[in-house]
Amino acid sequence: MLPVKKKLYIRTFGCQMNVADSQQMAQLLAHEYELTSRAEDADLYLINTCAIRRKAEEKVKSLLGSLKLLKARNPRLILGVGGCVAQQEGERLLAAAPHLNLVFGTQGSHRLPELVRLAARGRRLVDVELKRGIRELPPRQWPQGAVSALVTIMQGCDNFCTYCVVPYVRGREASREPGAVIAEIADFLAAGGVEVTLLGQNVNSYGRGLAQPITFTGLLRRLAGLPRLKRLRFATSHPRDLSDELVAAYGELPALCEHLHLPVQSGSNRVLKAMNRGYSREDYLEKVSRLRRSCPDIAISTDLIVGFPGETEADFTQTLDLMREAAFDQAFSFKYSRRPQTRAAGFPDQVPEEVKTERLIRLQALQDELTLATHSRQVGRVTEVLVEGWSKRGPSQLCGRLRTNQVVNFTGPRELLGCLTPITITAAQPHSLQGSWAPAPPVTVGGCPKHPPRRQHV
Ligand code: SAH
Ligand code: SF4
Ligand code: F3S
């Protein structure tokens, strides 16, 4: 009989990179632990944290507080905090939470099995070492039937935008060797995968510092040639480093999805300069129009910060103008949050909270209009959808994504899960589309209708 494995529960906050890191952690611990979706069954409970805004950090601290109860019920439970808050706080977290066993940083995954073993013997540990260079982890084990994969191609960030904590908690930028990335993705495709999202804080600078430098577009070209790869995506692109070569690739590589996430942050040159972003609004808009010329169907999404120190009403109005001009399909918008170690935390003229709130509401109202306009243009089209799971909208409603990354809900049979299928878009809402599916033979990927694949994002 196989030995019974202990149970691992992972709660993940933050960006897709954290999601990918949590998957790696589960794999590294898999010889002793199997994942559970019930926190109360856990022998090992890991929280993978995000420090990007104060709220994100507060969530972690309040979750940690609430876990005292779980630990009281099961004193043998090992409780660990990893990721960006762990990196930032280190020893302080352990001191503040006596029920916490382990704190490990953003580069600590490979040491996790050893750390957990020591914690099981009663040690309380902190491991938040940050090193230059990248450490290859063991090859990923792709579960049979996985459809979408998140693949980290680089770590860290050297940009030091003045508001951002990432360079401090993720360390210096370093790229993985292209051979390792390609082999990982080829394995995934061989296991039935179809969609790959490449991850890095600034993927456009991929390849710098490698023994044989390669551009990001060079990597895309090599990946796009892999058989079976139907959808290739990436995040995140820095507008300053978006090359003509990449713009051209949108018109040339069939697997490359017609979507780009290109965070602009502000439409005011004064604010962009204070943020240390390295481009002007004119540069940004010029890149957007080049992208639209190269790929007329492209959807462009962005990130925006309101209430950066010194942002005036006139600066903010320029952001609204830029949003209209760029005609963003989607925007993630945030109130500026002061982060430890960052330069902007010490800037004068911090904007009052109520002004930030009021600006955020206006900005989001405008984006809802812009999104609805782009969604409305999809109505009547028949378009390819990758079916990702069940919709929150109601029973037997499935949801999936267009190549342009818009979400569509529709009624259909469960056999469609994990398949690419044509959908007619019937209605547009501000945050999603409604579609209709007709029983034509679906294009089956990542499994077959008789043996539906497991849910995406392995
Ligand atoms: N590497 C990516 C972004 C990572 S963080 C890039 O450069 O675009 C994701 C988003 O969080 C950022 O684009 C920014 O809009 C937001 N963000 C980062 N720091 C923030 C802060 N201190 N306050 C508010 N939003 C912030
Ligand atoms: Fe943060 Fe700027 Fe790096 Fe993005 S590019 S992670 S916003 S420092
Ligand atoms: Fe958050 Fe760290 Fe990602 S701060 S956004 S989890 S890199």
Side-chain angles (χ1 to χ4, degrees):
M1 233 175 62
L2 287 173
V4 178
K5 286 191 181 177
K6 290 181 271 183
K7 300 277 189 260
L8 163 65
Y9 180 85
I10 309 188
R11 179 78 195 269
T12 305
F13 293 92
C15 60
Q16 288 180 306
M17 205 168 268
N18 259 16
V19 176
D21 288 350
S22 291
Q23 292 166 357
Q24 288 274 16
M25 288 175 203
Q27 187 181 315
L28 285 162
L29 293 164
H31 61 290
E32 266 192 80
Y33 291 89
E34 65 186 8
L35 279 172
T36 174
S37 54
R38 290 163 46 94
E40 56 278 23
D41 293 346
D43 300 291
L44 171 62
Y45 187 131
L46 299 178
I47 314 176
N48 194 5
T49 61
C50 174
I52 201 80
R53 285 168 288 276
R54 192 157 59 97
K55 265 208 181 121
E57 192 179 327
E58 282 167 359
K59 263 193 219 161
V60 170
K61 291 188 175 158
S62 94
L63 171 63
L64 194 53
S66 73
L67 290 177
K68 269 190 203 133
L69 213 66
L70 198 65
K71 184 87 180 187
R73 274 195 226 125
N74 173 13
R76 292 168 64 88
L77 173 70
I78 302 171
L79 190 54
V81 175
C84 297
V85 175
Q87 189 67 50
Q88 181 187 284
E89 297 295 307
E91 201 70 59
R92 286 193 292 270
L93 271 180
L94 212 58
H99 59 300
L100 182 59
N101 303 90
L102 175 62
V103 177
F104 58 100
T106 52
Q107 292 178 13
S109 298
H110 65 284
R111 292 187 294 268
L112 200 51
E114 177 59 14
L115 295 172
V116 168
R117 237 168 276 136
L118 292 171
R121 287 193 217 132
R123 296 261 308 268
R124 298 185 76 219
L125 305 144
V126 179
D127 182 345
V128 288
E129 196 183 356
L130 274 187
K131 280 197 176 149
R132 277 184 185 269
I134 213 153
R135 167 183 286 268
E136 272 300 322
L137 294 170
R140 295 285 291 272
Q141 308 286 317
W142 302 107
Q144 200 59 39
V147 179
S148 297
L150 299 173
V151 176
T152 302
I153 59 166
M154 54 202 299
Q155 71 180 25
C157 182
D158 289 349
N159 282 317
F160 292 94
C161 302
T162 56
Y163 51 81
C164 185
V165 79
V166 171
Y168 305 98
V169 292
R170 290 271 174 178
R172 298 287 58 77
E173 191 176 283
S175 298
R176 289 179 67 195
E177 288 291 337
V181 173
I182 293 165
E184 191 165 302
I185 293 174
D187 280 353
F188 170 66
L189 297 172
V194 253
E195 180 179 67
V196 171
T197 304
L198 307 175
L199 300 177
Q201 293 298 345
N202 179 14
V203 290
N204 294 328
S205 61
Y206 174 80
R208 282 183 204 157
L210 288 177
Q212 287 185 320
I214 170 172
T215 61
F216 177 58
T217 314
L219 178 69
L220 290 182
R221 284 188 198 288
R222 288 178 65 181
L223 291 172
L226 292 175
R228 289 188 65 119
L229 180 62
K230 296 278 189 288
R231 290 187 170 197
L232 183 56
R233 305 183 182 277
F234 56 86
T236 301
S237 245
H238 193 299
R240 183 197 56 215
D241 300 324
L242 179 78
S243 64
D244 292 346
E245 194 195 5
L246 179 56
V247 173
Y250 273 99
E252 294 164 14
L253 304 178
L256 189 57
C257 285
E258 294 78 18
H259 170 235
L260 178 65
H261 186 60
L262 195 63
V264 65
Q265 316 297 359
S266 169
S268 152
N269 282 338
R270 215 175 54 80
V271 173
L272 287 171
K273 190 153 190 285
M275 287 176 162
N276 189 31
R277 288 292 286 178
Y279 54 84
S280 65
R281 67 178 275 137
E282 293 77 19
D283 296 336
Y284 184 90
L285 287 168
E286 168 60 24
K287 292 197 177 180
V288 166
S289 64
R290 262 191 270 158
L291 279 160
R292 294 208 191 278
R293 277 200 300 276
S294 163
C295 179
D297 284 337
I298 199 164
I300 301 177
S301 58
T302 200
D303 291 345
L304 294 154
I305 296 177
V306 299
F308 184 79
E311 184 191 70
T312 61
E313 178 62 25
D315 292 319
F316 176 64
T317 307
Q318 290 191 9
T319 299
L320 299 180
D321 286 347
L322 178 135
M323 289 167 69
R324 283 190 205 98
E325 209 168 325
F328 290 124
D329 292 76
Q330 200 187 6
F332 300 90
S333 45
F334 313 100
K335 290 193 259 185
Y336 167 71
S337 169
R338 256 170 128 159
R339 303 313 292 136
Q341 293 175 280
T342 61
R343 276 173 52 210
F347 285 1
D349 305 325
Q350 297 284 329
V351 175
E353 196 57 27
E354 58 280 11
V355 176
K356 288 186 206 170
T357 305
E358 187 260 339
R359 286 181 189 164
L360 188 68
I361 292 170
R362 281 158 65 197
L363 184 148
Q364 289 181 342
L366 170 60
Q367 187 54 49
D368 282 353
E369 275 174 39
L370 296 174
T371 305
L372 191 58
T374 64
H375 279 178
S376 302
R377 284 198 287 278
Q378 297 283 358
V379 176
R381 287 191 189 170
V382 179
T383 182
E384 177 203 88
V385 168
L386 179 58
V387 186
E388 294 190 348
W390 294 104
S391 159
K392 289 179 224 124
R393 302 226 148 200
S396 79
Q397 284 259 310
L398 293 165
C399 73
R401 268 170 211 277
L402 276 53
R403 286 176 60 91
T404 42
N405 209 36
Q406 284 124 345
V407 173
V408 57
N409 298 297
F410 61 97
T411 304
R414 64 168 292 121
E415 286 72 20
L416 288 176
L417 284 171
C419 294
L420 289 167
T421 184
I423 296 283
T424 307
I425 307 299
T426 53
Q429 283 124 14
H431 299 287
S432 61
L433 298 162
Q434 192 62 39
S436 129
W437 175 81
V443 184
T444 304
V445 289
C448 71
K450 277 195 197 147
H451 304 97
R454 276 208 246 151
R455 287 189 51 181
Q456 311 46 70
H457 293 301
V458 286

